[in-house]
Amino acid sequence: DGYTVAILGATGAVGARLIQQLEQSTIPVNKVKLLASYRSAGKKLQFKGQDVTVEEAKPESFEGVDIVLASAGGSVSKKFLPEAVKRGAVCVDNTSAFRMEEDVPLVVPEVNEAALYNHHGIIANPNCSTIQMMVALEPIRRAFGLKQIIVSTYQAASGAGQSALNELYSEAQEYLDGKDMNSDIFPTKGDEEHYPLAFNLLPQIDVLEDNLYSHEEWKMIHETKKIMLGDMNSPEIKVTATCVRVPVPISHGESIYIEVKDKSATTEKIQELIRQAPGAVLEDDPKHQIYPQPINAVGKRDTFVGRIRPDLENEGAFNMWVVSDNLLKGAAWNTVQIAERLVADNLVHN
Ligand code: A2P
């Protein structure tokens, strides 16, 4: 007679979409618990037209909960998800806290749904930029094999949370009013220097590491290998990334260059694969200026693919442009989609 579902981080940018995607999902929901910090306790949100009071998350909050959807930050997941598992819940975690743990499946259902069968209570939702790249590239990998992926991202402000999105808007207003822009969040909250994002580009997402890559770039490389090949360090596909924050509110863009193994690949064959691919939509008609744009992807569950074209000098290599709503397929929808599969495959209680 339905499941009790808890949303951890219900008041955030992703949390709002988790509520909405759960409302629209096939999961029979008996009861929903909305959890956030003490700051939001007592606040009222709606689920399917009913008021639900937000509670401060505590270990006891997970008593009697079947499914946890978490998006309140890595440290919050680290603190609470083991408590939820102890109480018998299965957790789908949108943070990076558990993604690289051996016994935690990292899942994009279009690619590696079968990994769900090995879960031990926690399933990780990949990074937003990784997810949309997987939806676009997995059908190509299956048909032609992949040797190398070179990706540059154009990532929306909302990927850093609701307060970051608010900062972009206030900076834009300050700039247009001829005032100094106040920047406290970008490029990344915990770092020393802060720079404006409005009317700017920031080639830093998450912290810059000693290996000269940002942590976001590191995630794209190793998550891709774990999802596609089952091993975060597999040498089978070479992956490299440059991640850039752009002053777009919602939806990430990605310029992706791939080298395939099978040289019979053509632009037309790749277009046909994308047309058939679950979760992907081909928007590729240069004659009519049709290509994916962040503005058009907002609110959609799909990943949009266009500008597919062969490298003119390197045979078996292609460029493409991929856009998706980072808060939906990149976060809330992939999380709820995983939960739908857990329910459908009878994997909620193990
Ligand atoms: P709150 O609104 O009470 O601070 P975003 O990613 O948009 O910044 O949202 C972060 C989400 O994580 C919010 O729902 C926020 O709740 C929640 N959150 C932050 N810290 C905690 C905490 N210590 N315990 C539970 N939820 C938290």
Side-chain angles (χ1 to χ4, degrees):
D1 60 346
Y3 296 93
T4 298
V5 182
I7 296 179
L8 179 58
T11 53
V14 174
R17 274 84 181 171
L18 282 171
I19 295 171
Q20 173 213 61
Q21 294 298 304
L22 185 63
E23 285 175 332
Q24 296 169 13
S25 85
T26 57
I27 300 169
V29 180
N30 198 17
K31 184 177 174 204
V32 62
K33 293 184 92 167
L34 302 182
L35 307 174
S37 79
Y38 68 89
R39 294 178 292 271
S40 303
K43 194 174 164 184
K44 282 196 169 54
L45 295 174
Q46 292 231 313
F47 184 79
K48 293 194 176 171
Q50 306 280 332
D51 276 352
V52 181
T53 305
V54 177
E55 298 167 52
E56 178 185 353
K58 297 191 175 136
E60 311 82 73
S61 313
F62 300 94
E63 215 67 68
V65 170
D66 301 299
I67 301 170
V68 180
L69 309 174
S71 195
S75 60
V76 180
S77 279
K78 276 200 181 119
K79 180 171 165 195
F80 288 115
L81 298 195
E83 296 290 342
V85 173
K86 228 188 281 174
R87 289 166 174 81
V90 63
C91 306
V92 190
D93 183 24
N94 189 52
T95 79
S96 63
F98 299 99
R99 283 180 196 152
M100 287 305 156
E101 299 206 354
E102 199 100 25
D103 63 346
V104 173
L106 182 67
V107 175
V108 179
E110 289 84 351
V111 181
N112 63 338
E113 183 187 349
L116 291 176
Y117 282 85
N118 303 321
H119 87 76
H120 295 89
I122 298 176
I123 293 117
N125 197 58
N127 176 268
C128 43
S129 293
T130 310
I131 294 176
Q132 68 185 65
M133 184 164 84
M134 295 301 93
V135 173
L137 296 189
E138 176 66 3
I140 304 170
R141 187 188 74 82
R142 284 189 195 173
F144 301 117
L146 285 174
K147 277 206 270 196
Q148 182 164 27
I149 303 168
I150 302 173
V151 57
S152 296
T153 67
Y154 300 65
Q155 296 185 225
S158 56
Q162 188 60 50
S163 51
L165 186 54
N166 296 344
E167 178 166 286
L168 170 65
Y169 293 138
S170 59
E171 285 173 353
Q173 195 59 58
E174 285 155 359
Y175 181 94
L176 295 173
D177 292 344
K179 297 182 190 149
D180 286 342
M181 291 190 268
N182 284 298
S183 311
D184 301 313
I185 296 177
F186 291 110
T188 188
K189 215 172 190 169
D191 221 334
E192 275 170 37
E193 297 293 340
H194 294 289
Y195 309 116
L197 179 64
F199 304 96
N200 198 15
L201 298 169
L202 295 170
Q204 180 192 349
I205 301 184
D206 211 330
V207 291
L208 294 172
E209 296 175 339
D210 292 338
N211 62 16
L212 306 182
Y213 281 77
S214 69
H215 192 54
E216 187 84 348
E217 291 158 354
W218 186 94
K219 287 181 220 166
M220 287 196 79
I221 294 165
H222 294 285
E223 291 181 16
T224 294
K225 291 167 188 269
K226 180 165 175 173
I227 296 162
M228 283 185 158
L229 307 165
D231 170 5
M232 64 172 277
N233 290 310
S234 172
E236 197 183 316
I237 303 174
K238 291 191 275 181
V239 186
T240 194
T242 300
C243 293
V244 181
R245 188 75 70 187
V246 300
V248 166
I250 298 175
S251 292
H252 293 350
E254 298 183 337
S255 167
I256 305 177
Y257 180 88
I258 53 168
E259 213 176 319
V260 299
K261 286 186 180 154
D262 179 348
K263 300 276 155 97
S264 73
T266 63
T267 297
E268 293 68 33
K269 286 181 188 169
I270 290 174
Q271 286 176 325
E272 188 52 29
L273 288 169
I274 298 296
R275 237 181 243 118
Q276 305 296 332
V281 171
L282 184 73
E283 279 189 340
D284 197 9
D285 184 358
K287 280 201 185 71
H288 298 97
Q289 288 179 282
I290 302 295
Y291 38 73
Q293 298 173 38
I295 275 185
N296 300 332
V298 175
K300 313 245 168 75
R301 286 175 168 181
D302 296 307
T303 295
F304 300 89
V305 184
R307 297 295 323 279
I308 302 171
R309 59 207 194 277
D311 183 330
L312 298 176
E313 303 190 82
N314 189 10
E315 199 199 350
F318 297 85
N319 281 297
M320 65 189 72
W321 173 245
V322 176
V323 174
S324 190
D325 184 327
N326 57 300
L327 300 174
L328 291 185
K329 186 57 182 172
W333 164 233
N334 201 67
T335 299
V336 170
Q337 191 185 15
I338 288 170
E340 281 188 356
R341 305 295 168 106
L342 289 169
V343 167
D345 296 345
N346 211 8
L347 293 169
V348 173
H349 297 288
N350 59 349

